[in-house]
Amino acid sequence: MHRDIAKVLIYKETIAARVAEMARQITADHSQPGEPDLGEVTIVPILTGAMILCADLIRHIPIEMKIGLLTVSSYPGSALQSRGSQLLGQQLGDIRGRHVLLLDDILDSGGTLKLVVPILKDLGAASVKTAVLLRKDRPAAKEVPVDYVGFEIPDEFVVGYGLDYNNYYRNLPDICVLTPEAIERKR
Ligand code: 5GP
Ligand code: MG
């Protein structure tokens, strides 16, 4: 697998430190007067990409919470560009009146958040906040409001830490760019 990596953009140690920092910020923000009572929060990772972020983040947030799941596809198969976001499934439980914190691996065109946030509000969420590990350096990504951003990255296709290419590479611990040969081979 390692011969497929052209370069590492963010090492696992750096990711771990930043995720812990984001969790501290989220915990502090939800402890402010007037902010949602901590027990009312539902954390919703957008699967499959955000599963590792969710697993790491929530273990640093020492508050009562529920977890809901949403599956969205925007880079089906070996696509390297968004084909438009599609809701594939949900296991949200009852989110009426709850404060939802939506987690995604990466903010690219913004199509995913634009699709999902209104759905959560329609289902009765009292509020919806958003957190992404990565935000690409492109105008479309900057136009979408997001409450927490882990890292700003260049506009390149990345894998690792939950992000895939054709459903491979999610288990790489670092955020990486693939070689053109790997992209060809795994297509
Ligand atoms: P958006 O809807 O903002 O265009 O993109 C969000 C979704 O597209 C992410 O949840 C992720 O699944 C996918 N995506 C966007 N950029 C990348 C990328 O560089 N690498 C991978 N593996 N997935 C990406
Ligand atoms: Mg995704």
Side-chain angles (χ1 to χ4, degrees):
M1 200 161 61
H2 291 94
R3 65 177 179 160
D4 296 351
I5 298 170
K7 67 180 169 191
V8 174
L9 273 191
I10 311 172
Y11 283 96
K12 63 180 182 191
E13 294 80 7
T14 311
I15 300 172
R18 181 71 185 123
V19 168
E21 211 170 86
M22 290 171 79
R24 275 194 294 276
Q25 182 74 54
I26 290 165
T27 306
D29 289 353
H30 288 77
S31 312
Q32 301 296 319
E35 281 297 313
D37 173 68
L38 306 180
E40 298 173 30
V41 175
T42 298
I43 310 261
V44 177
I46 299 178
L47 302 178
T48 310
M51 66 176 187
I52 294 180
L53 171 65
C54 181
D56 284 350
L57 188 78
I58 62 176
R59 285 177 291 170
H60 290 288
I61 304 180
I63 62 180
E64 233 170 72
M65 63 172 69
K66 290 187 177 183
I67 305 290
L69 303 176
L70 267 184
T71 302
V72 173
S73 171
S74 33
Y75 279 52
S78 56
L80 292 171
Q81 280 182 347
S82 179
R83 300 272 167 83
S85 300
Q86 219 191 333
L87 185 65
L88 296 184
Q90 61 113 329
Q91 254 175 272
L92 288 170
D94 187 0
I95 57 166
R96 279 175 299 176
R98 298 187 64 84
H99 297 279
V100 171
L101 175 61
L102 193 57
L103 305 179
D104 206 359
D105 47 5
I106 186 164
L107 177 56
D108 180 16
S109 71
T112 303
L113 294 184
K114 281 187 201 151
L115 170 77
V116 166
V117 171
I119 292 175
L120 295 169
K121 288 187 174 157
D122 282 352
L123 289 172
S127 72
V128 181
K129 283 191 177 181
T130 49
V132 296
L133 181 69
L134 309 172
R135 178 164 65 185
K136 280 196 189 169
D137 183 14
R138 55 177 289 201
K142 299 279 165 62
E143 280 163 16
V144 183
V146 55
D147 298 285
Y148 306 96
V149 176
F151 301 93
E152 309 280 351
I153 62 162
D155 189 2
E156 288 187 87
F157 186 80
V158 293
V159 297
Y161 199 77
L163 291 125
D164 73 305
Y165 174 58
N166 209 1
N167 217 9
Y168 291 107
Y169 303 110
R170 295 192 194 276
N171 56 324
L172 286 173
D174 310 308
I175 301 288
C176 306
V177 176
L178 293 173
T179 64
E181 295 74 35
I183 292 200
E184 219 18 74
R185 202 163 355 97
K186 291 288 196 297
R187 193 181 292 280

